[in-house]
Amino acid sequence: MGMDLSTLRTLIIRYCVGEENWVDSRTIYIGHKEPPPSTEAFIQQRFPDNRIVSSKYTFWNFVPKNMFEQFRRVANFYFLIIFLVQLIIDTPTSPITSGLPLFFVITVTAIKQGYEDWLRHKSDNAVNQCPVHVVQHGKVVRKQSRKLRVGDVVFVKEDESFPCDLILLSSSREDGTCFVTTASLDGESSHKTLYAVQDTKAYRTEQEVDAIHATIECEQPQPDLYKFVGRINVYMDNEPVARPLGSENLLLRGATLKNTEHIYAVVIYTGMETKMALNYQSKSQKRSAVEKSMNAYLVVYLCILISKALINTLLKYVWQAEANRDEPWYNQRTESEKQRHIVIRAFTDFLAFMVLFNYIIPVSMYVTVEMQKFLGSYFIMWDDEMFDEELGERAVVNTSDLNEELGQVEYVFTDKTGTLTENNMEFIECCVDGHVYVPHAICNGQVMPGAASMDMIDTSPGPGAREHEELFFRALCLCHTVQVKEEETVDGIKHGLHQGKSTSFYISSSPDEVALVEGMKRLGFTYLRLKDSHMEILNREDEIERFELLEVLTFDSVRRRMSVIVRASTGELYLFCKGADSAIFPRVISGKVDEVKARVERNAVEGLRTLCVAYRPLSPEQYEEVCHLLSGAKLALQDRDKRLAEAYYLIEKDLILLGATAVEDRLQEKAADTIESLHKAGMKVWVLTGDKMETAAATCYASKLFHRNTQILELTTKRTEEQSLHDVLFDLSRTVLRQHGGMTRDTFSGLSGDCTDYGLIIDGATLSAVMRPGQEDSSSGNYKEIFLEICRNCSAVLCCRMAPLQKAQIVKLIKDSKEHPITLAIGDGANDVSMILEAHVGIGIMGKEGRQAVRNSDYAIPKFKHLKKILLVHGHYYYIRISELVQYFFYKNVCFIFPQFLYQFFCGFSQQPLYDTAYLTLYNISFTSLPILLYSLIEQHINMDILKKDPSLYRDIAKNSLLRWPIFIYWTILGVYDAIVMFFGAYFLFDNTTFTSNGQLMTTNTQMMFGNWTFGTLVFTVLVFTVTFKLALDTHYWTWINHFVIWGSLIFFVVFSLLWGGIIWPFLNYQRMYYVFMQMLSSGPAWLSIILLITASLLPDVVKKVICRALWPTTTERIQFKGRCLASEPSTIFMLSQTSSRISF
Amino acid sequence: MASSYNAKEEDGHHSGAPAHGGAAAAAAKSKKPDNTAFKQQRLPAWQPILTAGTVLPAFFVIGLIFIPIGIGLFVTSNNIREFEVTATPTRDTSNVFMYYGLSNFYQNHRRYVKSRDDSQLYGDRSALTNPSKECEPYRMSDGQAIAPCGAIANSLFNDTLELYHIDSNGTRNTIPLVKKGIAWWTDKHVKFRNPGGNNNLTAAFRGTSKPVNWRKPVYDLDPSDPDNNGFINEDFIVWMRTAALPTFRKLYRIIQKKAVTTPTLPSGRYVLNISYNYPVLSFDGRKRMILSTISWMGGKNPFLGIAYITVGSICFFLGVVLLIIHHKYDTRNNSADIPN
């Protein structure tokens, strides 16, 4: 099914890209040879060279371009403006105070980006200069890759990767095919077969290839990897022969040639126009809920800032109305200032106040948040428990922006196959006309001892059935896209005859097909290989049967079936078709439909994946017609996919049912446990699958998504056939609301298990009916609402028969519903990419269906069970950490700036800063930065094991609970309170009658007068200690690192202050801090007041915490307490474990 | 090989974004994460929780410490004798400090605070003749640089206060006022310096002009004492330390104690002679003269004592409240008893 998946992907990507039509075309002259004059005019189009530029900057534009990009961020721009204002007008603080941090941030970012770009340059150069072989004038010459031009004919050897997008002209293989692996493009390691153009595959040497005279018309490059349409005109004796070109002829840049000695191909897309380059567009940025609250807070603070500045400006002019206050004799303005217009003066005053208070929005918060996210994501990658031994993979973090969002998930959308289940298919049984065949062997070639090759449950079938049975087995051996890969231990084997022994194994991108073919092998029919368009089968009598493969009607998710048309050696033509039951039964005209249907349904209920097999004998005339239909569709340049689909529809009809197969897909380890934990954590789990209802429902029961007492609501086509959609919806909502009407719809108290759980099953068709926009004006919107209302009241929802795009639609529907819940999508396959991209958090599983999901995800984990840890532990921690980080940052800056605001009332609104420049600059950068950063990296309010054991703790932080407005206001008020205590504490100590001298009367007689800088330093000292202690009080997890940074930064502050005031700094033009700190410390009252003010500042917060904990403890707090008690009483646990062990005896 | 890789990662030198760097590095080596306590977030840690039980003792301790301190401070502060202009003498045998106070004088106005040149005051010769722009409009006068420049220096307090004791027979005895030792030692000896040493100041300040409001040039501030003249004049230094609030006082003189037994200012009548030069009425200012003694905790300061008593009492009270809460709720909510 290699091709089926790619078709499927085509659908997704096409939808995503939104490019459907072949808008524009290009003409390529192979070998740059002019076409014969008879045809259209020879217009050499201009194409870019094959240079790949992944770098963003050049040496010359780095500085301006990088600066521009950095200042496009609102925060950076804001700080730049502040800095410029400081430079231009006379402001209270020196430009250094904001310039230095900004410069630091910009430089660090620029260095990081510059380094990354340098690496990109390096890799670009390596790629652009690597040698390629080009056919020129009948000879193969070496060229640098970047010099390739469209129309060049390239020679590629085995294991080389293609330098650009190519059309395969000929191959060293007889049949004109070649194998490629696209591992670096989409992660699929299976080999794909590509075909040379029919008319040129005979040209096998340089000279011959050079003689090809042809032009290619094809669409302009587009990013869809799996879609390509074009046409080649080969001029044989000036007579053009047109052939269609499709993605089966296209060799993509980045893919590698395998198992083929060499090929010749013509360049069609080069450089940045290759599909690979077009696909490296960055994904849209996802923003977390925390970031959104942070931005909301920023706006609030910006308003506070502006209003502060406005109030002060206003008051200043009111106060200055008296001339003696404005310009007392001792403090005159300069002449130029006097002449300035009052409006300009007022405006500059406003700006100056803005500058004075601008620290309330700190530059460093962005840096700290970025660092916290970046460094924090390493803990996810380092997690030992999320390492999978079997795969040898550990968790991958593709974006660190969403760490905290992992702690906020309310809806989990999961894929079934490969995510909930192993995607390790095992053939269980097949049923031919109601007779069941069970191979007694385990897959992967291990034959169970003493197992018969097959076991017929039913009575032996009659001769007619015998024929059907053989046909059935052959159908399964032929109707697939499995490739045979030979063991590459000995070279000779590769070319030797295949005996169907253990030297070969099957590869396919769909594990179902492998399971089926292997199942057939155990039932006696071995598929050997595809050679020269002939499929070889070893039948039960050890005879090789050969079937000519005429057509493959590839799988796609809309038809949900695939077919092959083969010609038996006897000359009979057959169409074999296999697919989902719903895709086959309507097209069947005869066969034992009822028996097969019953069996299929039974198997589906058991959670097996079922496929139905049918055939249609074709007469030569019918085959002619089929060929006609197909070639017509294939040659079409426009709407080729649509026409192909139409053709398939006409061909796959009048089928005769043969039987059905059942393949088991085992549940992933601990999948049920994980789902139960997610439920307990208050998350709603939705399973979105393309599988059919019965199978999916069985999986849901097995994975404990539905319980025995879950009342299942069905919203399926079966029901809507009987009743109108309208009635069904209203019925269901009535059922659900009756239950919930009595009790309050408290999301936190639900799920206790006593009340009825609802589970909803909906299928794709009904869903699209519900979602269909604007059918009856008003009611269509209603459907959505009712549907959402039903969903809200269901603890589990199963959506089956979903097309990939519908998965994304569902996610979007929930995401945009009025509560705006946080969604998470998890999946492993390409069909999950759309929902992974759509959801707030996209998680990829490193499954078997390639790495497409992993590449597009935000986080990738090896197994479904790891979801538990990444959400309940990492997500919880990161949320707690970052919310404290954000709140604390605003808090500490309120504490920092509010005293300055108050000081304006006592200095004539003159914008006199309270603190020295050094303190203003370093407060956020060094005195208070590290403790919070380290806190936000290693805080663990509750033990990891408890978080895992008790998922309900996750509810404590649901709905962004730690960043709600009341909490934000609490922190802000706390900040204002602390600021007031600090400022007025110092004020009263400095007030008219007091604090005029030092306390060391006994030893010295220095009678100091404390000036304004001492005042500021006193406030600042109290401030630094208070905010650091506040964090210390919030820290629940004191490792040596916390001790180090918290006490370390306090010590650093003291040492810095001593140094800063200890020396006459020659480069400064003021020495206002000289000995200020020391003099302050030599004063007894200063010490006493510092201690007093710190105590008074911290007091309310401690009291609030303690009282809240005692009176209204949250679950988290209870658990913290309990955990502590348990830790102090290990004997209890010991006793418990003893009793339990006794019971087990 | 593997160990060096670990060490590198431990140090936190991460190369590149986690996606690229991690994947590339991991591809070559084993992807198994290291099982270290740090990487697995299992560092040994102390996990304190603030509960009523644990905080209680702290509150009581704070209360018990703060209240006595507060009482001590309050009593000490009350013992400090402080007298404004109509001063009644004391029996104190310690030094008495004489302050002048100004109100409604914005020494902390930004334009005022920055209107000085510390390099000039540090004795820098180039700054002497070419002072900082910050001094405007008190920078140049008649084409000559002002020394000391700036608004602060220009508005130097220039009243002279003299205190006389009138003894029983009516004679006026001048009370000796010490004018040195009133500024910070570091200011006097490091931060403020005369250009070219303390000798021959007239020559050193040649080419400069006196501040416009001054009566005499800077080198005539105290011609009698070369150690107290020019920039290192202590009255000047004290003035140059700008006050934090618009109502302030500055140390003016010290009245030294005479002997252990005799009071510094014996009881009797005193006369304060003020040569009134300094205009304050124009900005609604007030002038004061304060005589004060000093205790171990500085000058008169009832606030600190009251604040300590208040905070201490609150803590004590909260301690009691928490004790009640603790008994009523903590034990009820958590069946387990208080740890330790």
Side-chain angles (χ1 to χ4, degrees), chain A residues 714-947:
Chain A
E714 275 184 34
L715 192 58
T716 52
T717 25
K718 219 196 284 175
R719 268 195 83 172
T720 46
E721 272 164 16
E722 294 156 17
Q723 273 173 297
S724 77
L725 177 67
H726 187 83
D727 294 343
V728 177
L729 274 173
F730 274 91
D731 264 9
L732 291 181
S733 69
R734 223 171 296 134
T735 326
V736 171
L737 290 177
R738 199 186 309 131
Q739 172 72 31
H740 287 262
M743 45 190 270
T744 47
R745 273 205 288 116
D746 191 341
T747 41
F748 289 88
S749 69
L751 285 167
S752 51
D754 306 331
C755 66
T756 337
D757 261 351
Y758 286 103
L760 179 74
I761 300 179
I762 184 168
D763 63 10
T766 321
L767 182 77
S768 56
V770 170
M771 308 260 283
R772 195 174 299 137
Q775 19 161 225
E776 280 152 68
D777 300 323
S778 58
S779 63
S780 62
N782 261 350
Y783 285 171
K784 256 189 206 177
E785 278 312 305
I786 296 166
F787 175 64
L788 279 175
E789 190 59 39
I790 297 168
C791 292
R792 243 173 249 140
N793 292 309
C794 291
S795 58
V797 178
L798 164 64
C799 306
C800 43
R801 294 284 190 225
M802 303 288 274
L805 279 169
Q806 278 184 313
K807 291 186 176 183
Q809 270 178 353
I810 279 256
V811 174
K812 196 168 163 51
L813 179 75
I814 296 299
K815 204 170 105 176
D816 295 341
S817 69
K818 62 176 186 282
E819 293 98 346
H820 295 287
I822 308 294
T823 55
L824 176 143
I826 178 166
D828 71 321
N831 57 344
D832 306 315
V833 169
S834 57
M835 73 169 177
I836 285 176
L837 289 175
E838 181 65 45
H840 291 100
V841 186
I843 295 197
I845 299 256
M846 298 158 179
K848 299 197 170 144
E849 294 186 35
R851 295 184 74 93
Q852 194 103 340
V854 172
R855 272 205 303 145
N856 286 292
S857 63
D858 303 308
Y859 300 89
I861 47 178
K863 286 278 163 67
F864 184 73
K865 64 176 177 183
H866 298 134
L867 193 62
K868 184 173 168 182
K869 179 141 195 201
I870 206 171
L871 292 184
L872 298 185
V873 179
H874 289 290
H876 198 141
Y877 279 161
Y878 282 117
Y879 179 72
I880 296 274
R881 290 167 183 173
I882 201 143
S883 52
E884 173 88 7
L885 171 70
V886 170
Q887 301 277 27
Y888 179 77
F889 244 98
F890 284 112
Y891 158 79
K892 79 175 173 141
N893 282 293
V894 169
C895 287
F896 180 45
I897 288 307
F898 206 69
Q900 291 228 93
F901 173 72
L902 294 172
Y903 192 56
Q904 298 311 306
F905 289 82
F906 300 93
C907 69
F909 305 101
S910 60
Q911 302 116 26
Q912 171 62 26
L914 185 56
Y915 317 111
D916 179 51
T917 305
Y919 288 156
L920 280 173
T921 314
L922 294 179
Y923 176 71
N924 273 317
I925 295 184
S926 50
F927 298 147
T928 59
S929 61
L930 273 186
I932 183 63
L933 177 64
L934 266 299
Y935 171 94
S936 66
L937 284 174
I938 53 186
E939 165 72 352
Q940 295 179 24
H941 60 302
I942 298 183
N943 203 296
M944 223 183 268
D945 304 316
I946 298 176
L947 278 183

Side-chain angles (χ1 to χ4, degrees), chain A residues 169-187:
Chain A
L169 291 177
S170 68
S171 144
S172 61
R173 293 172 74 99
E174 297 271 314
D175 51 1
T177 59
C178 75
F179 295 103
V180 299
T181 162
T182 51
S184 62
L185 276 172
D186 58 9

